[in-house]
Amino acid sequence: MVAGELVQEHTRAESTGAPDDVGTITGGKAAHELRSGPLVPIDKLDQYTVLESGDEAVNLLKALNSRASEQEIPPDEREAMLPKGGGVGGEEENAKKENKCLETKLYWRRFGVLAIFSLYSLVNSFQWIQYSIIANVFCDYYGVSSSQVDWLSIVYMVAYIPLIFPATWLLDKKGLKLTALMGAGLNCLGAWVKCASVSRDLFGVTMFAQVICSLAQVFILGLPSRIASVWFGPKEVSTACATAVLGNQLGTAIGFLLPPVLVPNTSGDFELMGHNIKVMFYGTAIIASVLFILTVIIFKDRPEMPPSYAQAVLPGSPPEDYSYKQSIINLFQNKAFLLLLVSYGIMTGSFYSVSTLLNQMIMACYESQELNAGRIGLTLVVAGMVGSIICGLWLDYTKTYKMTTLAVYILSFLGMVIFTFTLDLKNIYLVFFTAGVLGFFMTGYLPLGFEFGVEITYPESEGTSSGLLNAFAQIFGIIFTLIQGQLTTAYNPLAGNLFLCAWIFLGILLTALIKSELKRNNVNMEAEGKQPLPTGCSVEGSKAEMTTATKLENSISFSHETSV
């Protein structure tokens, strides 16, 4: 604008006899002086007058505009006048700031955290099943009924349901390390109390010790998804979750294998039986103590830098206006998650029921086969561990959460049907095979449900969604164990297993109705370059844009997985 006014003044000066020091617009020396000399702004001139002066005037106008911009506006003022992020330099600077805020890094410590968690989860699940797999031995030693021994397993499920909400609140508010210490510490305490219960008249003490271990479980079962999300990258998160669940499954497998070996049925020799039980209890307590110490040393709430963009866009700690109650409400308003809650509860509850009653089912069909009952349970769980790892690797590679979950559910149903109708064929080796097939798919489903739940509920807390999934699993586990136990006792194992088959078929239908939205995966994909991240990382930005699920969901076009 200033240069245009100056050219107009030169034009008027030529027609009215302007002084020589003003110059003309006809080119030559005057034009050169105008391009390179100082510019003096002249107010209140019609800028369109220059259009009457020809092409050379227009060219001169461009040069004057450039010169005026450079001379009249200091660089710092010119930078201040640019809109935020405007210009090439501004865009580059903002991009650098955004990349710095969203920088990710993987730490070797993540493997230590995963290993320690898996091991103390292993010990906890071992303590869950160590009574049930030799139920007849404990019935003889303590002089109690089989239903009372069953409650040593059921108490794990009963304790979880009312305590899951304070446990997940603790995880969200206080972080991963404190929750892990609670789980490992209670697990260690319960193991030592069991050592004081080795007497035929102290069944109440061993029940109390099992209650303590069940409290530890509340702070354990919800952690696999949180550990995987907080510590592992997007290409390994499902495998990490499967590995964390694997520890719990391995503990169940060892619980099937070791108790029949360590505490054989020495009916009538209660002194030897008590000695064997004491050896098992003390060994468990020593291992649990070592793992508690390692948890204190190794565990941290989170790494210094996030492992993925999905974690980078989330706040590092709960904001001041964070509402745990609202988070629960959001989850229960998610129709897809409600369907997953019920279907996951059915499948996992069926696994709990089969694991608890396996000894009774095998003993009803095959007499004096306590040792093989434990080996069959081991086969069931080890096959499931393999299934878990394969499913985790498959999810990391394909991200086909719904199709994989539905396929595994259908195969679990078929495995349950085969196990049901081959159990009483008087061929113990066939039972080994059918139990392995059942375990491969039924136990392999567990990490699938966790990861699928995190995907369809992101950015809600992984601990909360996993905790609710486990709560429903415990509810169905209690119901299924009690009903199947009654059917097995009153009729035969066939009746109890058919009961489970009917429920698993219902679970297939519910899984097919789940609408798959891969929200967490979508954020990671956009951050890798397909689309820019819709949320900023500036501390001065809107808090709601960074912390609320509603804002994040509205700002991202979440991909829908192809339905089956």
Side-chain angles (χ1 to χ4, degrees), residues 117-322:
F117 170 78
S118 298
L119 288 173
Y120 78 71
S121 177
L122 178 155
V123 174
N124 184 258
S125 61
F126 172 83
Q127 296 193 85
W128 164 60
I129 205 66
Q130 66 182 166
Y131 293 100
S132 297
I133 196 60
I134 50 174
N136 57 322
V137 174
F138 280 103
C139 287
D140 289 342
Y141 183 75
Y142 287 112
V144 296
S145 64
S146 59
S147 61
Q148 288 176 287
V149 174
D150 288 343
W151 272 100
L152 290 169
S153 171
I154 296 174
V155 69
Y156 261 62
M157 310 174 201
V158 173
Y160 191 90
I161 298 169
L163 295 176
I164 180 55
F165 294 108
T168 53
W169 176 88
L170 182 71
L171 178 61
D172 290 343
K173 283 291 188 179
K174 302 301 181 180
L176 183 61
K177 182 169 184 176
L178 179 60
T179 307
L181 289 175
M182 290 290 293
L186 289 171
N187 195 44
C188 176
L189 177 62
W192 282 108
V193 174
K194 285 183 180 181
C195 296
S197 70
V198 186
S199 178
R200 296 199 64 200
D201 58 346
L202 294 180
F203 179 77
V205 177
T206 206
M207 176 63 78
F208 175 69
Q210 192 74 336
V211 169
I212 296 175
C213 294
S214 69
L215 297 180
Q217 177 209 216
V218 178
F219 300 98
I220 293 174
L221 290 185
L223 293 190
S225 294
R226 171 61 68 90
I227 291 174
S229 296
V230 170
W231 281 94
F232 288 83
K235 294 183 179 180
E236 57 188 13
V237 63
S238 296
T239 304
C241 181
T243 305
V245 175
L246 184 78
N248 198 269
Q249 297 170 357
L250 182 59
T252 304
I254 297 175
F256 281 127
L257 177 64
L258 282 186
V261 175
L262 296 175
V263 190
N265 188 2
T266 57
S267 182
D269 191 348
F270 294 113
E271 184 177 351
L272 178 58
M273 188 180 293
H275 172 74
N276 294 332
I277 293 174
K278 185 178 293 186
V279 169
M280 180 174 67
F281 284 168
Y282 271 98
T284 305
I286 292 172
I287 296 173
S289 300
V290 172
L291 291 173
F292 174 70
I293 295 172
L294 291 175
T295 303
V296 174
I297 298 172
I298 300 297
F299 257 78
K300 291 178 62 178
D301 285 331
R302 60 180 64 245
E304 295 179 2
M305 298 178 62
S308 66
Y309 290 103
Q311 285 295 310
V313 299
L314 295 177
S317 58
E320 294 179 359
D321 59 351
Y322 172 79

Side-chain angles (χ1 to χ4, degrees), residues 12 48 103 158 180 199 201 258 441 453 471 474 525-526:
R12 294 183 182 180
Y48 296 104
E103 188 176 355
V158 173
S199 178
D201 58 346
L258 282 186
F441 296 110
Q474 309 300 334
M525 293 294 290
E526 289 182 345

